[in-house]
Amino acid sequence: MPSAFLPFRPSRLAKLLVETSPNGVVMTNSEGRLVMINRRAATWFGYEESELMGQTIEILVPEDQRNAHQSQRMCFESHPRIRQMGEGRELLGRRKDGTFIPVRVSLHPFDTTTGPMVLANILNLNDTSLQSDAIIESERIAAISQMVSGLAHENHNALQRALACLDLLELDLSSQDNLLYLTDRIRVALADLQHNYDEVKRYSAAIALSYSPTELPSLCQAAFDELPVPYRNKEPRLSMTVRTPNPEVLADKVRMKQVFAGILENAVAANPDGGVIDTEFVDANLKDGPGIQTTIRDHGNGLDGNTESRMFDPFFTTKQHGTGLGLAICRRIVEAHGGTILAKNHPSGGTMVSFVVPRQPCK
């Protein structure tokens, strides 16, 4: 290990997320050196974690591809973006014993106080236990649930202590408006932290549905009217087209309102200021019977290929803030109702999210 190598010290939350991931996860610094690797990845590649720390990522690449990989890595570092690595090509990882494993890798750049980092999410295509999307999803949810339960008490107490100290500080600074402005920003940051934690908790929680007659257009309008202030300030307009004589389903009204809120927040954020959000409700069929399809369309820039394919993946986001769980929660709720959901570009521009829920609960 080079003497100049300084280990990355992630937060406890970051360590838990990496270690409990059902996939292999590695992190590299701006020099391409490994600063974190979870047990699953180390096991796949046949190393002890300590053997890899500080090594360049090329140690996991076949020898005849290392020079090319290094050049590609430097190119990626100059224009970092979330993307699938080597799309359309077969990728191989090199194990310690010189054998190879087929892999699929997605890259996620992010900034830290010690400089830019890249998280590589690795899927071992030889690991049959991970071939089923349902298994991957269930393992991911179980891991997140375990993490959240472990942090719940600690997180709540820490936030309460911080808020109590902030209340006392504001009393001492009651006559200093310039400093109270800073305490207001701290309070907003703590609220954001609590929101992010609550969103992770909502995603990992089991979904128990309470069915009642639910008119989808009315619920959509209610969710739109209750959008948070930052979204309402963009003055969006909601255009609604109902193409079914009966837009009512038996559903969990509270949960379905969450779905509308999550999709509408994304649509308004992507839309030009003052733009129209188009919604449409039509009859549709699911394999178990009739349903209603809701389509919500913005008039923004649309999705690139990577975003479109990963729109509902947990922790995937193109925003600077947030957990990337909003649409993942929407998918879980829709699927719990026996429905389906997808996102794609509209032929005339913008993004449309469509979901279908059955008229009656699935038996």
Side-chain angles (χ1 to χ4, degrees), residues 176-194:
Q176 302 183 53
D177 290 342
N178 61 321
L179 295 179
L180 285 175
Y181 165 73
L182 294 177
T183 62
D184 286 341
R185 293 184 63 181
I186 295 171
R187 193 173 293 279
V188 169
L190 290 173
D192 288 344
L193 180 62
Q194 182 65 54

Side-chain angles (χ1 to χ4, degrees), residues 80-273:
R81 61 184 177 87
I82 297 172
R83 70 174 180 86
Q84 194 79 20
M85 183 177 169
E87 287 184 276
R89 295 189 292 109
E90 181 184 41
L91 296 181
L92 295 175
R94 185 184 187 277
R95 304 183 77 250
K96 182 179 179 180
D97 63 9
T99 59
F100 304 109
I101 53 173
V103 294
R104 188 163 68 228
V105 182
S106 59
L107 303 175
H108 305 261
F110 62 100
D111 292 321
T112 73
T113 55
T114 58
M117 300 278 179
V118 177
L119 182 147
N121 190 60
I122 304 169
L123 181 63
N124 177 359
L125 301 181
N126 276 347
D127 192 333
T128 57
S129 67
L130 297 178
Q131 293 301 306
S132 166
D133 289 341
I135 292 175
I136 293 174
E137 184 69 10
S138 64
E139 285 189 1
R140 180 187 286 119
I141 292 170
I144 294 170
S145 181
Q146 182 183 24
M147 176 200 72
V148 170
S149 63
L151 291 176
H153 186 70
E154 179 182 334
N155 178 82
H156 177 75
N157 285 348
L159 282 173
Q160 291 304 309
R161 290 196 304 272
L163 287 169
C165 291
L166 193 60
D167 290 339
L168 293 174
L169 182 61
E170 286 177 334
L171 289 175
D172 291 339
L173 301 175
S174 57
S175 61
Q176 302 183 53
D177 290 342
N178 61 321
L179 295 179
L180 285 175
Y181 165 73
L182 294 177
T183 62
D184 286 341
R185 293 184 63 181
I186 295 171
R187 193 173 293 279
V188 169
L190 290 173
D192 288 344
L193 180 62
Q194 182 65 54
H195 172 77
N196 289 345
Y197 170 76
D198 288 341
E199 194 162 69
V200 174
K201 188 165 63 173
R202 282 195 298 273
Y203 175 74
S204 64
I207 295 180
L209 301 178
S210 178
Y211 291 96
S212 63
T214 302
E215 191 193 48
L216 295 180
S218 299
L219 199 62
C220 178
Q221 184 68 59
F224 181 80
D225 292 340
E226 295 173 15
L227 286 177
V229 171
Y231 296 100
R232 293 204 305 270
N233 285 347
K234 297 189 75 171
E235 298 183 356
R237 292 177 291 130
L238 188 67
S239 171
M240 197 173 295
T241 303
V242 182
R243 301 189 188 280
T244 172
N246 178 20
E248 188 176 274
V249 299
L250 271 178
D252 188 308
K253 193 170 294 185
V254 173
R255 291 292 196 170
M256 289 307 302
K257 193 174 184 181
Q258 277 184 262
V259 173
F260 280 114
I263 297 172
L264 287 168
E265 283 187 14
N266 268 16
V268 173
N271 228 36
D273 288 358

Side-chain angles (χ1 to χ4, degrees), residues 14-139:
K15 286 181 178 177
L16 280 166
L17 286 172
V18 168
E19 202 53 59
T20 57
S21 171
N23 294 338
V25 177
V26 302
M27 289 186 190
T28 59
N29 62 15
S30 59
E31 298 176 348
R33 297 191 179 278
L34 291 158
V35 296
M36 186 188 295
I37 182 165
N38 68 354
R39 291 189 191 91
R40 188 179 291 272
T43 299
W44 283 345
F45 287 98
Y47 288 92
E48 295 293 331
E49 295 171 58
S50 58
E51 294 180 276
L52 291 171
M53 295 295 289
Q55 299 289 340
T56 63
I57 189 66
E58 278 77 32
I59 192 174
L60 304 179
V61 175
E63 292 179 353
D64 61 347
Q65 298 176 20
R66 288 178 180 176
N67 288 337
H69 185 275
Q70 186 175 25
S71 298
Q72 291 164 4
R73 172 167 57 80
M74 294 174 68
C75 181
F76 174 81
E77 289 168 355
S78 64
H79 297 87
R81 61 184 177 87
I82 297 172
R83 70 174 180 86
Q84 194 79 20
M85 183 177 169
E87 287 184 276
R89 295 189 292 109
E90 181 184 41
L91 296 181
L92 295 175
R94 185 184 187 277
R95 304 183 77 250
K96 182 179 179 180
D97 63 9
T99 59
F100 304 109
I101 53 173
V103 294
R104 188 163 68 228
V105 182
S106 59
L107 303 175
H108 305 261
F110 62 100
D111 292 321
T112 73
T113 55
T114 58
M117 300 278 179
V118 177
L119 182 147
N121 190 60
I122 304 169
L123 181 63
N124 177 359
L125 301 181
N126 276 347
D127 192 333
T128 57
S129 67
L130 297 178
Q131 293 301 306
S132 166
D133 289 341
I135 292 175
I136 293 174
E137 184 69 10
S138 64
E139 285 189 1

